[in-house]
Amino acid sequence: MKIGIIGAGNVATGLAKFWAKNGHQLLLSYSRDAEKLKRTAASIDRKVQTGTAAQAAAFGEVVVLAFPFTALDDAMKSAGTLSGKLVFSCVNALKGDNSGLAVGTTTSAAEEIAKCAPGARVVEGLPAFADLLHSDSRLVSGMKPSVFVCGDDAEGKQIVKKLLEESESEVIDAGPLWAARYIEPAMMLLVNLAYAQGYGSRVGYKFLHDVADPQRNKGSF
Ligand SMILES: NC(=O)c1ccc[n+]([C@@H]2O[C@H](COP(=O)([O-])OP(=O)(O)OC[C@H]3O[C@@H](n4cnc5c(N)ncnc54)[C@H](OP(=O)(O)O)[C@@H]3O)[C@@H](O)[C@H]2O)c1
């Protein structure tokens, strides 16, 4: 699959190493330092291409967003049109100093991204902590951490789920895009637990459930 990535930091590189290993074609973009971008791409795999955010958007069958929420306006402007694209957002709505969320519970980073990208099929999939992605093992207490996807495009969500599973996490479908309003604060809680409460970066959630086939029990509330 052709994957264009906007943002070339911890999350982008942490995911890209799995995707490169599995034979996906990657184009990495959106660093403020062109030489660093090239070095970063080469450190993942020599086949990883680099370019502008607009080139990543044009290249990708899937366009992965992996930049800070504070850079949202600039990143989306730089990407140009994403109409018709499957957009896989890893962006959490963190404030610049990570002290809390810039938006939450009434909207989300994912929904703000969808507003900036008319016609795009936006799916949110916040991955496991980058420290885990970059370490020798993804397992925490011997288990794969659960991460959540949400979005309004069923086919797109399946693709994002599969890509996240390649990063060795358990992926739970949390429903429509608005579920991001609750996923993002949950990830903020994890940031707090890891860095303010002293649990460190090898942390994650495990979603426990008895029902084997959630499709059978689906309903509204
Ligand atoms: N880290 C995690 O564990 C984790 C887990 C789940 C979700 N997330 C979310 O994933 C997203 C990316 O996180 P990350 O940890 O990969 O961030 P990061 O390491 O700081 O990477 C950010 C990337 O965005 C680029 N960028 C371009 N313009 C920027 C600007 N004006 N300000 C800041 N960065 C700019 C940076 O390029 P330069 O080379 O110029 O710095 C860098 O490539 C965030 O929304 C975060 O909330 C993170």
Side-chain angles (χ1 to χ4, degrees):
M1 182 158 249
K2 292 172 85 170
I3 306 176
I5 308 178
I6 302 179
N10 294 317
V11 164
T13 52
L15 292 172
K17 69 170 189 181
F18 293 101
W19 297 336
K21 196 177 65 189
N22 291 341
H24 296 291
Q25 295 174 60
L26 306 178
L27 192 153
L28 198 63
S29 74
Y30 202 57
S31 166
R32 290 159 290 189
D33 178 337
E35 284 309 309
K36 180 180 156 197
L37 181 65
K38 285 194 188 132
R39 283 197 305 275
T40 303
S43 73
I44 299 165
D45 187 281
R46 63 181 173 78
K47 289 192 199 137
V48 177
Q49 300 176 53
T50 58
T52 63
Q55 285 168 332
F59 174 87
E61 295 163 82
V62 180
V63 181
V64 177
L65 308 184
F67 48 76
F69 187 67
T70 50
L72 176 69
D73 290 342
D74 181 67
M76 298 307 283
K77 228 176 267 160
S78 306
T81 181
L82 289 163
S83 183
K85 294 283 181 179
L86 173 56
V87 171
F88 168 179
S89 174
C90 300
V91 176
N92 199 357
L94 294 181
K95 291 180 182 170
D97 61 2
N98 292 345
S99 64
L101 294 180
V103 299
T105 72
T106 54
T107 183
S108 58
E111 291 163 284
E112 296 307 305
I113 284 163
K115 283 182 202 162
C116 299
R121 299 143 66 208
V122 178
V123 174
E124 174 168 279
L126 301 187
F129 270 11
D131 282 6
L132 281 179
L133 297 177
H134 284 282
S135 76
D136 290 342
S137 169
R138 253 56 55 206
L139 301 185
V140 180
S141 294
M143 288 177 281
K144 281 185 181 181
S146 306
V147 298
F148 302 93
V149 294
C150 64
D152 300 328
D153 184 285
E155 190 205 359
K157 204 157 46 172
Q158 281 311 310
I159 293 170
V160 171
K161 186 169 185 277
K162 168 92 186 22
L163 288 172
L164 270 176
E165 282 167 351
E166 290 183 30
S167 71
E168 300 173 2
S169 288
E170 176 192 45
V171 184
I172 307 293
D173 182 348
L177 197 65
W178 61 253
R181 296 174 187 189
Y182 308 111
I183 297 170
E184 293 172 16
M187 288 302 286
M188 178 65 225
L189 174 63
L190 208 53
V191 170
N192 173 53
L193 289 167
Y195 300 110
Q197 301 307 315
Y199 285 94
S201 58
R202 294 197 66 84
V203 291
Y205 292 122
K206 192 70 192 169
F207 178 57
L208 303 176
H209 54 95
D210 273 341
V211 175
D213 179 8
Q215 296 304 326
R216 288 182 51 202
N217 290 315
K218 246 180 170 173
S220 55
F221 54 84

